[in-house]
């Protein structure tokens, strides 16, 4: 019994990592990964919205009529995104400005709607909450991995601290748009390589 | 003059896919064939242009009139969802042939972040009604251009030998990265008199 809960939690972290295994939520993961700190905060926001919306949708799963479930889910998600947006603006105005348009766009982040549709609307509240936390943290981890490569190579820093020494030749392209696509592509490729290797062994 | 600069900025300089990272999901999902990519692009163009106009009206005549601008996210996503549904019904009634061609892609547009993105950006940029629609149209043309180019490349890629680990999404991202580098060259365009 315990095992089932643990499995739900770890499912999102590794087995079905939303970004690396399911390739969901690509827009924010390209846009906010120019620095590890941005990836961290985006991950926190998505985890919060995902957990809350999973819990609420799971509670209402027997009340929401099947035909209009998608609009219902979207309104629930949009409500939590608005909460996050306003709280960020009040307490972390600088980060709110950096993430900018991608905070309201959490509404259309496919991870959240996908979990609502495929998990929260079919499972009980506790499982849905664990799924939200697991998926959210998995997404946060993935964002931070991508951001680590980009920030170190493109800026010579990690979480804002200089780690590569004075004379490090930074490749500015890595923190700009093309670097985002290249890094995500190569990281996905590397993960496929490991996964294929494991499958073969 | 602003008309032209918004148009060129939307299509090339601030390309939604390669510079702003909006609408990546359909860009990767529906870019296997040129034909379907163009279909998706045209449907998105239509929805983005109309959504820009409608959300501008909602923002200025409903949200601001009643002093509830914090409801923007909720209101806009509902407008977009309703609009997509409406467009779907109209096209089905008026032109069944076009509906046949676009049918599958229309519902997908609701969760395309380019649509919600452009409506929020229009309000932030404080465009008037006409320029909001121009910006929506130009950004959508940029999306259409990007997805069509990508589909062209991917049609050729299907015949080349790619390492197993890079097949599919990884290769698509790397291709997009190389294309983004090319689009990066447009950054210098119009630099002197572009007010954006």
């Amino acid at each position: 019994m315990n095992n089932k809960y643990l499995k739900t939690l770890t499912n999102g972290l590794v087995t079905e990592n939303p970004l690396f295994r399911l390739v969901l939520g690509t827009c924010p993961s390209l846009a906010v990964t120019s620095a590890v700190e941005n990836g961290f905060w985006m991950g926190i926001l998505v985890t919060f919205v995902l957990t809350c919306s999973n819990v609420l949708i799971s509670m209402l799963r027997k009340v929401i009529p099947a035909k209009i479930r998608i609009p219902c889910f979207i309104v629930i998600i949009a409500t939590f995104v608005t909460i996050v947006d306003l709280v960020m603006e009040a307490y972390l105005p600088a980060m709110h400005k950096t993430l900018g348009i991608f905070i309201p766009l959490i509404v259309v982040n496919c991870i959240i709607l996908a979990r609502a549709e495929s998990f929260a609307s079919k499972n009980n509240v506790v499982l849905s909450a664990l799924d939200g936390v697991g998926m959210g943290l998995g997404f946060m981890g993935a964002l931070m991995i991508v951001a680590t490569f980009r920030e170190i190579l493109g800026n010579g820093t990690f979480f804002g601290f200089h780690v590569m020494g004075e004379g490090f030749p930074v490749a500015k392209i890595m923190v700009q748009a093309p670097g985002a696509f290249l890094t995500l592509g190569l990281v996905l490729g590397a993960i496929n390589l490991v996964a294929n290797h494991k499958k073969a062994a | 003059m602003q008309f032209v600069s918004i148009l060129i900025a939307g299509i090339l300089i601030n390309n939604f896919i390669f510079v702003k990272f909006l609408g990546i999901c359909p860009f990767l999902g529906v870019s296997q064939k040129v034909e379907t990519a163009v279909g998706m692009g045209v449907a998105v163009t239509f929805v983005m242009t109309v959504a820009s106009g409608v959300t501008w009206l909602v923002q200025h005549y409903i949200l601001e009139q009643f002093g509830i601008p914090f409801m923007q996210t909720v209101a806009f996503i509902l407008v977009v969802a309703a609009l997509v549904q409406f467009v779907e019904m109209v096209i089905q009634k008026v032109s069944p042939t076009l509906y046949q061609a676009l049918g599958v892609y229309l519902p997908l547009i609701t969760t395309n972040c380019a649509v919600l993105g452009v409506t929020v950006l229009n309000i932030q940029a404080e465009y008037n009604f006409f320029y909001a629609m121009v910006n929506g149209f130009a950004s959508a043309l940029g999306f259409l251009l990007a997805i069509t180019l990508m589909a062209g490349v991917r049609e050729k890629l299907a015949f080349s030998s790619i390492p197993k680990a890079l097949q599919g999404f990884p290769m698509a991202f790397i291709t997009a990265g190389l294309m983004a580098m090319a689009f990066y060259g447009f950054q210098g365009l119009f630099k002197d008199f572009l007010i954006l």
Side-chain angles (χ1 to χ4, degrees), chain B residues 107-143:
Chain B
L108 283 177
I109 299 173
T110 312
T111 51
N112 182 341
C113 54
V115 181
L116 190 63
V118 80
T119 58
V120 177
L121 287 174
N122 280 337
I123 304 300
Q124 280 177 4
E126 293 174 355
Y127 286 131
N128 65 23
F129 180 70
F130 176 67
Y131 285 138
M133 283 187 80
V134 171
N135 189 40
F137 180 65
S139 307
L141 281 187
F143 177 83

Side-chain angles (χ1 to χ4, degrees), chain A:
Chain A
M1 196 59 196
N2 255 333
N3 201 15
K4 190 171 127 198
Y5 291 100
L6 196 67
K7 221 175 173 179
T8 311
L9 188 64
T10 53
N11 186 35
L13 288 174
V14 187
T15 340
E16 280 188 28
N17 187 294
L19 181 58
F20 289 153
R21 302 308 302 170
L22 309 178
V23 200
L24 292 175
T26 43
C27 296
S29 43
L30 290 168
V32 304
T33 50
S34 55
V36 180
E37 200 186 354
N38 302 349
F40 172 76
W41 279 108
M42 190 68 192
I44 296 274
L45 299 186
V46 170
T47 307
F48 175 81
V49 173
L50 185 54
T51 310
C52 294
S53 67
N54 259 8
V55 167
L56 197 62
I57 287 166
S58 172
M59 280 198 253
L60 297 173
R61 71 186 186 278
K62 291 190 179 109
V63 186
I64 298 174
K67 269 196 174 162
I68 55 156
R69 66 184 191 287
I70 302 285
C72 293
F73 294 167
I74 289 182
V75 172
I76 290 172
I77 296 166
T79 310
F80 285 113
V81 171
T82 308
I83 294 171
V84 162
D85 195 7
L86 293 175
V87 171
M88 274 298 261
E89 198 173 2
Y91 292 101
L92 290 160
M95 188 47 68
H96 182 265
K97 215 171 167 198
T98 313
L99 297 178
I101 180 99
F102 286 93
I103 297 178
L105 286 184
I106 297 175
V107 179
V108 282
N109 189 322
C110 355
I111 298 173
I112 297 171
L113 198 60
R115 290 331 281 175
E117 169 77 6
S118 68
F119 199 93
S121 59
K122 296 188 185 88
N123 288 284
N124 69 41
V125 177
V126 180
L127 276 177
S128 301
L130 287 174
D131 180 72
V133 173
M135 282 284 163
L137 292 180
F139 185 59
M140 183 166 98
L143 287 182
M144 286 172 74
I145 290 172
V146 175
T148 305
F149 286 110
R150 289 185 66 195
E151 197 183 337
I152 289 182
L153 292 175
N155 218 3
T157 57
F158 179 76
F159 235 102
F161 299 107
H162 286 271
V163 287
M164 298 306 281
E166 278 296 299
F168 182 69
V170 292
K172 270 279 165 251
I173 195 90
M174 292 307 281
V175 287
Q176 285 155 350
F181 286 105
L182 291 178
T183 315
L184 191 52
L186 291 172
V187 170
L188 279 176
I191 284 167
N192 276 351
L193 198 65
V194 175
N196 289 346
H197 197 70
K198 252 191 185 164
K199 228 185 273 166

Side-chain angles (χ1 to χ4, degrees), chain B residues 30 33-45 102 144 147-148 151:
Chain B
V30 203
K33 274 183 173 164
V34 173
E35 219 169 56
T36 49
V38 172
M40 182 69 182
V42 170
V44 168
T45 307
L102 296 181
L144 175 64
I147 197 169
T148 312

Side-chain angles (χ1 to χ4, degrees), chain B residues 52-74:
Chain B
S52 293
V54 175
T55 52
W56 192 92
L57 294 174
V58 168
Q59 172 77 18
H60 288 87
Y61 290 102
I62 298 178
L63 297 183
E64 279 174 17
Q65 290 296 316
F66 293 104
I68 45 170
F70 58 86
M71 291 293 282
Q72 195 190 51
T73 313
V74 183

